[in-house]
Amino acid sequence: MTVVGLDDTDSRERGMCTTYAAATLAESIRDAGGAIERLLLVRLNPAVEHKTRGNAALAVHTDLAPDTALGLVEDTLDMAETDDPRTNPGAVVADCDPEDVPPQVATFARETIQSIQDPMTATTLADVVGFARCQRGNGRGLVGALAAVGAWAALSDWTYEHIAYRERDRWGTERSVDAESVRAAAEEYYPDVWDTIDRESGYPVCVPRTPCPILYGIRGDDPDACRAVADAIDSEPIARRATFVTNQGTDVHLQDATLDAVRDDSAYRVTGDVVAAPETREGGHVFVTLNGDGTTLDCAAFEPTKGFRDRIRSLRAGDRVTVCGEVSDGTLKLEKFAVRDLVRIKTVTPDCPDCGRSMKSAGRNQGYRCRDCGTSADGKVEQSVERDLERGWYEVPPVARRHIAKPLVRGGFDAPTHPSR
């Protein structure tokens, strides 16, 4: 077997897409007499600065000879948008089975999903284990390419995405996709297929808004169901299709940590206590601060998370929560959170049992007194608090979800879930 990894062929402004490059490479391999065992779409650390939105690296698993595959991938890199100085593609060709890559390569793959890795480290490791490589520009894409080579051996939770690509002369123009057909197909195949539409707004999440070649991408746990949804969508002509095995929707980017261990440029799952009432700031972003492990951490639900912000606004000082998300500039960008414990009792100034008016302080350490009736009370009293939250998990809507973040509908969480659709 041969494993070909590639990354960083696309551009934020100029379009292109590394999944498209991988699908094109797969066609070239078939034309050369090779067979494709699978196409792998690997989402890497979402906190990396130098990335397009999804931060995807790709791998092609084939029986084609490594030397032949290397020549084909060299041609594929010529498709990259290298006029953009931030696009620096790289490719790695490994002469081994995907599950039998050297253990240090599998480790590198997991670390690249959870933290920042240096291109020199990737270059040195590829040379040490004897993998062929090629690059354009500064070769930063070699990081993702090597990670894609090692991902099959490193990870165990996989989902699927079926992608339809546009005809070349339509790239960069408005997409023609019938939203009602998307909604109907999404409803029929949910929950095997998820994050196809945003239920609250009705927006077809599966249709990108960038100038890339993708017409739509259907994600789920069942590849046949993903293809069935795609087949039911009415749209402009489709140039090619491909089904990818992927780590999307798995939360593999999250590191379990204590609050004092959190650092920028990685993603975490941490638990703490709410310090004070959440604050809505300019732009509609909602911030809440957690305390624990001798430190505090600011967490943010940004405006695009829409109704999810109301869940954050419902928190009170003293609530205990687990939060998930990437950390940047000392702030955790919320992807989901779990309510562990809710404050349900508060102490309040007592009311007069005779007239019902609120009592007034009778003086320092002298309790409370009703000035009209003369009744008194020793101190404040407990009162139950009605809460809009329940114990369990809450998530951002599909329109705001990271590709790699796990939707609650996939299950496997440690408390009741309240999934969005």
Side-chain angles (χ1 to χ4, degrees), residues 6 9 16 21-22 24-25 28 71-80:
L6 66 158
T9 65
M16 192 42 191
T24 303
L25 174 61
S28 298
L72 295 178
V73 79
E74 286 269 15
D75 294 338
T76 302
L77 290 191
D78 291 338
M79 299 170 58

Side-chain angles (χ1 to χ4, degrees), residues 119-238:
M120 183 57 68
T121 301
T123 300
T124 301
L125 179 55
D127 291 345
V128 166
V129 298
F131 292 168
R133 55 182 173 83
C134 53
Q135 66 186 66
R136 302 288 188 272
N138 64 24
R140 189 170 53 235
L142 289 172
V143 174
L146 185 61
V149 169
W152 189 251
L155 308 179
S156 58
D157 188 10
W158 297 100
T159 63
Y160 299 88
E161 180 167 4
H162 181 77
I163 298 179
Y165 297 98
R166 312 182 72 190
E167 294 179 329
R168 184 67 179 85
D169 59 0
R170 292 177 181 263
W171 293 10
T173 66
E174 184 177 354
R175 291 168 174 82
S176 177
V177 178
D178 179 64
E180 186 54 42
S181 68
V182 175
R183 285 190 282 268
E187 187 68 28
E188 180 178 356
Y189 287 94
Y190 184 86
D192 290 333
V193 175
W194 30 262
D195 284 6
T196 309
I197 63 168
D198 185 85
R199 195 169 186 80
E200 182 175 341
S201 65
Y203 182 80
V205 179
C206 63
V207 181
R209 288 173 282 188
T210 61
C212 72
I214 294 176
L215 181 59
Y216 54 75
I218 310 300
R219 301 169 188 166
D221 289 287
D222 182 339
D224 292 330
C226 291
R227 285 186 281 265
V229 169
D231 289 341
I233 294 174
D234 296 326
S235 72
E236 65 187 56
I238 294 169

Side-chain angles (χ1 to χ4, degrees), residues 54-124:
N55 201 20
L58 278 293
V60 181
H61 298 174
T62 177
D63 63 357
L64 194 68
D67 290 347
T68 306
L70 180 61
L72 295 178
V73 79
E74 286 269 15
D75 294 338
T76 302
L77 290 191
D78 291 338
M79 299 170 58
E81 288 289 347
T82 50
D83 286 345
D84 185 335
R86 293 173 297 185
T87 299
N88 294 278
V92 173
V93 179
D95 183 9
C96 62
D97 290 339
E99 60 272 17
D100 292 330
V101 299
Q104 59 266 49
V105 176
T107 298
F108 180 84
R110 181 170 287 277
E111 290 175 345
T112 305
I113 294 169
Q114 295 187 336
S115 60
I116 305 292
Q117 299 299 314
D118 183 79
M120 183 57 68
T121 301
T123 300
T124 301

